Amino acid sequence: MHSPAQRPGMAPWGDAKLFFCILFIIYCCTATLAQIPMDCCLTVKNKTIEKTVLADYHQQIKGQGCSLSAMILVTRRGRRLCVPDNEPWIQEVVKHVDILKKYCKNHSYKGNRCFGVKRA
Ligand SMILES: *[C@@H]1O[C@H](CO)[C@@H](O)[C@H](O)[C@H]1NC(C)=O
Ligand SMILES: *[C@@H]1O[C@H](CO)[C@@H](O)[C@H](O)[C@H]1NC(C)=O
């Protein structure tokens, strides 16, 4: 008994196709992911927040996948707040968070003061 004949040369080409297929999927998915804006702020609220509850911030720039410019403030508990990026009080908050992040990096993110501050 012989198993059904395999055409010679079929297998390598099949492997190549599979390889390109996987490559394509990887390329395709990562490209798509990069284009999906990660949680854009759709509106901003000029609502001041106690700076000591903050652990991080990100600048959102209009045109880079998001429809408006904003400052995203991240609390120690991971909540994200969308605030305008052009208010003087935000600059103060950002400065404070920068100092906090530097401090925590130097102190191995230990202690209450660094609660919620992510390693950078
Ligand atoms: C935003 O809030 C700050 C602080 O409460 C205030 O000084 C400023 O006038 C506000 N800006 C606008 C455009 O309402
Ligand atoms: C870290 O903190 C210590 C004391 O608090 C200070 O002497 C040292 O210069 C700091 N290191 C850095 C890299 O900032």
Side-chain angles (χ1 to χ4, degrees):
M1 279 289 264
H2 288 277
S3 53
Q6 282 191 327
R7 274 186 290 158
M10 181 69 187
W13 181 226
D15 283 350
K17 264 203 288 208
L18 185 67
F19 174 75
F20 281 115
C21 190
I22 289 168
L23 207 65
F24 177 75
I25 290 167
I26 290 168
Y27 172 77
C28 180
C29 291
T30 48
T32 312
L33 278 180
Q35 276 163 15
I36 294 172
M38 48 166 253
D39 302 328
C40 279
C41 289
L42 302 176
T43 58
V44 293
K45 251 192 200 151
N46 185 30
K47 188 170 178 294
T48 54
I49 180 163
E50 184 52 54
K51 61 189 178 186
T52 54
V53 308
L54 296 173
D56 205 359
Y57 66 89
H58 307 285
Q59 173 106 51
Q60 173 177 307
I61 297 161
K62 184 180 173 176
Q64 293 183 5
C66 298
S67 59
L68 58 93
S69 290
M71 191 64 80
I72 305 165
L73 303 178
V74 185
T75 70
R76 292 177 186 274
R77 297 196 177 277
R79 209 157 68 85
R80 295 153 60 90
L81 304 162
C82 297
V83 296
D85 64 349
N86 55 359
E87 286 289 338
W89 71 268
I90 305 288
Q91 299 314 312
E92 289 302 311
V93 163
V94 161
K95 232 186 276 173
H96 171 85
V97 174
D98 277 339
I99 292 166
L100 176 71
K101 283 163 80 172
K102 254 190 218 142
Y103 169 90
C104 292
K105 192 169 186 173
N106 190 4
H107 290 77
S108 308
Y109 301 91
K110 289 196 185 96
N112 280 343
R113 221 180 131 181
C114 296
F115 173 77
V117 178
K118 298 260 185 305
R119 287 167 190 276

